[in-house]
Amino acid sequence: MTEELIFAGILLLSQASPGPDQAFVTRSTLAYGFGAGVMAALGIGTGVVAHAALACTVGASVFHSSLGLVLFCAASCWMLYLAWKIWPRGRKGSLAGSGDIPPASGIYRDALVTNLMNPKATFFFVALSAPLLEKNHDPSYALFLGALIVVTGTAGWILWALVFRWQPIRSFYDRHAGGVDGVLSLVLAGFGLSMLYSFGRMAVESFS
């Protein structure tokens, strides 16, 4: 059980690294409050189910197929679209494209799609879970490991939203909303361009 606890700890620590999920939860919480952050966390957690299922079954092999090429292209377009929506336009922006608080279902949906459109998450889960799956080939263990990924990931993002509920951080965002949104927009654009580059490399390799 020690290895599984270390596994869960690494999952939690990895959420502190910059990425589209982190940017979405951070921005949703700062712009719309803790409830919005929780909905974003739940949406991401739902998306993680698919990544965990792939990581614990076929692994990363799907990304070396024609489906992988399509997924990388769609992922890059989605990240660039989110970056465009978040980019400040002289007022406090919103992921929904207006200054109003978007419905919880909209935040959940966008968070779900954002996570699903992040194929690098599957690569990470594959790399992290492979050593444990190599030691235990029992299908029930793969199911347990997948559940651990989903539960740990969802709980971690809710904790992340809780951090950004802290008043000094919210006050800072209120004063510098345009700058913070600009940085998060650039983060998402960077991931989108990175995925577009990966898509290009995969396409060249598949046709060479």
Side-chain angles (χ1 to χ4, degrees), residues 47-57 121-122 125 129 142 145-150:
V48 168
V49 173
H51 294 296
L54 285 174
C56 295
T57 53
T122 299
F125 294 139
S129 60
L145 206 61
L148 185 60
I149 291 173
V150 174

Side-chain angles (χ1 to χ4, degrees), residues 5-81:
L5 289 175
I6 294 173
F7 177 85
I10 293 174
L11 283 175
L12 287 174
L13 289 174
S14 70
Q15 292 175 306
S17 62
D21 292 343
Q22 185 200 73
F24 195 96
V25 175
T26 300
R27 206 285 175 151
S28 296
T29 306
L30 288 174
Y32 309 124
F34 179 63
V38 170
M39 290 307 300
L42 293 176
I44 290 170
T46 305
V48 168
V49 173
H51 294 296
L54 285 174
C56 295
T57 53
V58 298
S61 60
V62 66
F63 296 117
H64 298 289
S65 64
S66 57
L67 175 61
L69 295 176
V70 174
L71 183 56
F72 266 91
C73 183
S76 63
C77 292
W78 175 258
M79 295 301 168
L80 292 172
Y81 172 64

